[in-house]
Amino acid sequence: MSPKILAPSVKEHHSMMFAKLVDCAEEILRGDGPAALTAGAVASRAGIARNSVYRYVESIDDLRLLVLERYIPGWQHRLDAALEVDAEPYEQLRTLVEITLDIGAEAGHQWLIDVVKAGLGRGKKDAAPSGTEIQARSDAVLNFHRELGRSIVGLWRKVTPDDAVVNAQMTRSILDAGLKLLDQGHSADEVKARTLALLDTLAGR
């Protein structure tokens, strides 16, 4: 039996259900964690049969990545814009750190890390096209984090050439701590101020 069409056309219905499934997946990931994201849980929340989930998405791995893809393009644009501003390298670094903390405050951090750790990009071993698409999505997510790391190292090389690697690693550790504090409900303004103060100390300012 074909599913009931809830929109003026099949195409619109597909788009509507696709968005609804991604919404439901995000709710589950945020509230219950990656282990709770199953076809049955998504179907139940969306109000459709379990097998109907696969009419709209390739796999549960795909759903995890689709949730992350809602955020990555916007985040990347903000970070790229910060690096394109005509400013001293250290000011760019501070802006990069501020934006990263802003993103964490807006979207949450730990649930996203949990999703990444859940094994993104495994795909279906017996379905090459699906696996290829999922891997491409996974690469886009992971590349965002790699580029952030490279940008931090690159800016420190301009600010403190002799201590760039150490300062970059310390910066990532400070950022991780700040993001965890935000997840715990601490004031974004306070976390940002203390993080930037530690950054100033690393730079000798």
Side-chain angles (χ1 to χ4, degrees), residues 137-156:
R137 290 192 171 110
S138 179
D139 287 346
V141 172
L142 295 175
N143 283 341
F144 170 80
H145 291 281
R146 292 191 192 103
E147 286 304 315
L148 174 60
R150 290 191 190 105
S151 296
I152 290 173
V153 173
L155 289 170
W156 273 119

Side-chain angles (χ1 to χ4, degrees), residues 100-156:
T100 303
L101 292 172
D102 286 340
I103 288 170
E106 294 161 8
H109 176 255
Q110 190 56 52
W111 74 275
L112 291 167
I113 296 301
D114 290 342
V115 170
V116 173
K117 289 180 178 179
L120 293 176
R122 292 191 304 272
K124 294 180 180 178
K125 301 303 182 183
D126 58 345
S130 173
T132 299
E133 291 173 6
I134 293 172
Q135 188 61 55
R137 290 192 171 110
S138 179
D139 287 346
V141 172
L142 295 175
N143 283 341
F144 170 80
H145 291 281
R146 292 191 192 103
E147 286 304 315
L148 174 60
R150 290 191 190 105
S151 296
I152 290 173
V153 173
L155 289 170
W156 273 119

Side-chain angles (χ1 to χ4, degrees), residues 54-194:
Y54 298 107
R55 294 177 181 270
Y56 308 101
V57 296
E58 295 286 351
S59 69
I60 294 303
D61 272 337
D62 202 24
L63 261 180
R64 290 189 184 99
L65 287 163
L66 287 164
V67 169
L68 290 181
E69 281 186 335
R70 288 179 154 182
Y71 297 96
I72 296 299
W75 293 348
Q76 189 66 62
H77 175 75
R78 289 164 72 176
L79 294 178
D80 288 345
L83 294 173
E84 290 170 2
V85 171
D86 184 15
E88 293 297 320
Y90 185 64
E91 288 306 312
Q92 289 183 317
L93 180 63
R94 289 181 105 255
T95 301
L96 202 66
V97 167
E98 286 189 82
I99 290 173
T100 303
L101 292 172
D102 286 340
I103 288 170
E106 294 161 8
H109 176 255
Q110 190 56 52
W111 74 275
L112 291 167
I113 296 301
D114 290 342
V115 170
V116 173
K117 289 180 178 179
L120 293 176
R122 292 191 304 272
K124 294 180 180 178
K125 301 303 182 183
D126 58 345
S130 173
T132 299
E133 291 173 6
I134 293 172
Q135 188 61 55
R137 290 192 171 110
S138 179
D139 287 346
V141 172
L142 295 175
N143 283 341
F144 170 80
H145 291 281
R146 292 191 192 103
E147 286 304 315
L148 174 60
R150 290 191 190 105
S151 296
I152 290 173
V153 173
L155 289 170
W156 273 119
R157 289 192 190 283
K158 296 177 182 178
V159 178
T160 56
D162 294 338
D163 299 316
V165 174
V166 171
N167 284 345
Q169 290 178 347
M170 292 292 292
T171 301
R172 294 298 297 270
S173 296
I174 293 168
L175 267 176
D176 286 343
L179 291 166
K180 287 178 182 177
L181 288 169
L182 291 173
D183 277 340
Q184 294 166 10
H186 289 267
S187 162
D189 288 340
E190 180 183 357
V191 170
K192 189 184 295 185
R194 295 196 177 192

Side-chain angles (χ1 to χ4, degrees), residues 15-27:
S15 295
M16 182 184 73
M17 288 304 302
F18 177 84
K20 185 174 184 178
L21 290 177
V22 180
D23 286 341
C24 291
E26 179 168 344
E27 290 170 8

